[in-house]
Amino acid sequence: MIFNGLIIFCYRTIKKAIVLLKNWFFLLNVVSLLVVHFWAPWAPQCAQMNDVMAELAKEQPRVSFVKLEAEAVPEVSEKYEISSVPTFLFFKNSQKIDRLDGAHAPELTKKVQRHASSGSFPPSGNEHPKEDLNLRLKKLTHAAPCMLFMKGTPQEPRCGFSKQMVEILNKHNIQFSSFDIFSDEEVRQGLKTYSNWPTYPQLYVSGELIGGLDIIKELEASDELGTICPKAPKLEERLKVLTNKASVMLFMKGNKQEAKCGFSKQILEILNSTGVEYETFDILEDEEVRQGLKTYSNWPTYPQLYVKGELVGGLDIVKELRDSGELLPVLKGEN
Ligand SMILES: *[C@@H]1O[C@H](CO)[C@@H](O)[C@H](O)[C@H]1NC(C)=O
């Protein structure tokens, strides 16, 4: 008996789950590629992914697709470390060869196509030689001075530990980049061996593993976090750098080529007529700068013109300076 196409399991009782398990392990032995979707009825992403799976089932008659309600089969979920839904596992010859965490339809399609077409499958994680993987992990851990390998993203953490880690780092204004281990099974498994650390999240500074959440909490408690991890520049420092980016800096709505308000356009015309070089910053693209600069310079409106990091003023002042013939020396920093 070979199951092709889409099979739907949604048993809720343990008894049925056991029957299901038997069927399931039977399946593992007989089909060429088996894709198992661990889903939950309350998660809308899972419903979407079920549609994707139904489409794939039509295209790939030799692949079997199975839906398992993750919470109805805790033994299976635990065995395969299913900590969130949707998660997909790929099996060939009874062996798990790949997994995909999250509702990534293109990625699912790619993996199904790849595994369905490869005749004799390579064992898990060996698609690239090990040296390649180590090199890749080395590059990834060095991708930023401070790298967080986590479940999900800082905006949308997908486990409580990752969430707490992000909160601690943000609280201490630490600048970090992150990698979602759910997006890449090879990295997820590889990094555990590479760093000899079995769990996530993992925090790296200059490519060196600092540790997981417990260690970060200890460092926080002993006030060492700030000395180990690089701090994000404070807004004030950022504004100082920005206002000094060019000798003449115009903070405006839009840019040199295209002003997005009449005042900004007029000030561009005046600056253009002086022939002095200047750079612009589009405050519409950066809410932090837009709000921050008002306080930093105690000037509530835009455009704002700066010479050598000092505020000259807005359109009215620039017009006055032009009319009194003082604009050019001011722009050249002679006043
Ligand atoms: C100002 O000069 C820039 C070129 O430096 C040009 O692209 C822009 O259209 C000019 N703006 C105005 C309003 O004259």
Side-chain angles (χ1 to χ4, degrees):
M1 181 169 64
I2 292 181
F3 292 93
N4 279 332
L6 186 63
I7 304 159
I8 298 170
F9 292 115
C10 51
Y11 296 116
R12 289 193 162 271
T13 65
I14 285 295
K15 211 172 169 186
K16 284 184 175 171
I18 290 169
V19 175
L20 161 83
L21 281 177
K22 282 188 185 152
N23 285 340
W24 193 50
F25 285 110
F26 169 69
L27 268 175
L28 288 184
N29 286 317
V30 292
V31 298
S32 56
L33 174 66
L34 175 68
V35 182
V36 184
H37 177 193
F38 289 84
W39 71 297
W42 45 261
Q45 317 88 290
C46 292
Q48 282 167 23
M49 294 309 279
N50 281 337
D51 294 343
V52 174
M53 240 171 48
E55 282 306 306
L56 285 170
K58 283 185 214 156
E59 284 168 25
Q60 302 277 357
R62 291 176 49 225
V63 180
S64 289
F65 294 88
V66 171
K67 285 202 304 185
L68 276 186
E69 192 179 328
E71 287 157 1
V73 287
E75 305 92 333
V76 184
S77 295
E78 193 174 325
K79 174 165 186 233
Y80 291 105
E81 299 177 44
I82 309 298
S83 52
S84 65
V85 292
T87 294
F88 297 86
L89 297 185
F90 299 76
F91 291 88
K92 262 188 177 178
N93 303 344
S94 315
Q95 272 197 46
K96 192 186 93 182
I97 55 162
D98 204 355
R99 79 183 275 153
L100 175 68
D101 289 86
H104 307 292
E107 197 58 25
L108 178 67
T109 308
K110 233 166 59 191
K111 281 184 187 282
V112 167
Q113 285 165 351
R114 198 174 75 212
H115 295 308
S117 61
S118 61
S120 64
F121 72 91
S124 174
N126 280 11
E127 282 156 39
H128 307 282
K130 219 176 170 85
E131 285 85 349
D132 279 4
L133 178 58
N134 280 343
L135 194 65
R136 198 167 159 231
L137 295 174
K138 190 172 173 191
K139 276 194 192 148
L140 272 179
T141 51
H142 281 90
C146 185
M147 275 298 292
L148 176 63
F149 291 80
M150 64 179 290
K151 297 183 176 174
T153 61
Q155 293 72 37
E156 251 177 273
R158 292 181 51 203
C159 88
F161 301 116
S162 291
K163 184 162 182 273
Q164 285 184 54
M165 183 77 114
V166 168
E167 281 167 1
I168 293 176
L169 295 177
N170 282 340
K171 186 172 133 203
H172 292 270
N173 197 31
I174 283 160
Q175 193 167 34
F176 65 97
S177 295
S178 68
F179 184 93
D180 180 0
I181 52 149
F182 281 159
S183 69
D184 194 315
E185 181 63 10
E186 192 184 50
V187 171
R188 178 184 182 161
Q189 296 307 335
L191 206 53
K192 292 184 195 173
T193 321
Y194 179 84
S195 298
N196 196 19
W197 193 270
T199 57
Y200 290 98
Q202 295 184 5
L203 188 74
Y204 292 77
V205 172
S206 309
E208 294 287 326
L209 176 69
I210 302 298
L213 181 62
D214 286 346
I215 294 200
I216 300 310
K217 280 185 173 166
E218 278 169 29
L219 289 173
E220 184 189 27
S222 63
D223 259 349
E224 286 170 279
L225 201 56
T227 50
I228 290 175
C229 304
K231 290 237 178 204
K234 292 220 176 68
L235 179 58
E236 202 164 306
E237 285 163 35
R238 207 181 145 213
L239 294 175
K240 193 169 173 192
V241 169
L242 270 181
T243 51
N244 282 285
K245 196 169 161 240
S247 171
V248 179
M249 274 301 290
L250 179 64
F251 291 80
M252 62 177 287
K253 296 181 180 172
N255 56 41
K256 218 185 238 197
Q257 286 71 38
E258 198 193 351
K260 293 203 175 129
C261 87
F263 302 115
S264 292
K265 184 160 188 276
Q266 286 184 52
I267 212 166
L268 281 182
E269 280 165 0
I270 296 173
L271 288 177
N272 278 358
S273 71
T274 64
V276 171
E277 293 216 353
Y278 65 98
E279 280 195 29
T280 60
F281 184 94
D282 185 357
I283 52 141
L284 298 178
E285 299 276 305
D286 194 319
E287 191 59 22
E288 191 185 49
V289 170
R290 180 182 187 164
Q291 297 309 332
L293 205 54
K294 291 184 193 173
T295 320
Y296 178 82
S297 299
N298 197 19
W299 192 270
T301 58
Y302 290 98
Q304 294 184 10
L305 184 71
Y306 291 78
V307 173
K308 300 203 162 119
E310 294 287 328
L311 177 70
V312 174
L315 178 62
D316 287 346
I317 292 191
V318 169
K319 276 185 177 167
E320 278 171 29
L321 288 171
R322 177 195 60 189
D323 294 345
S324 65
E326 290 168 272
L327 185 58
L328 208 52
V330 166
L331 292 179
K332 290 182 174 164
E334 290 166 3
N335 261 25

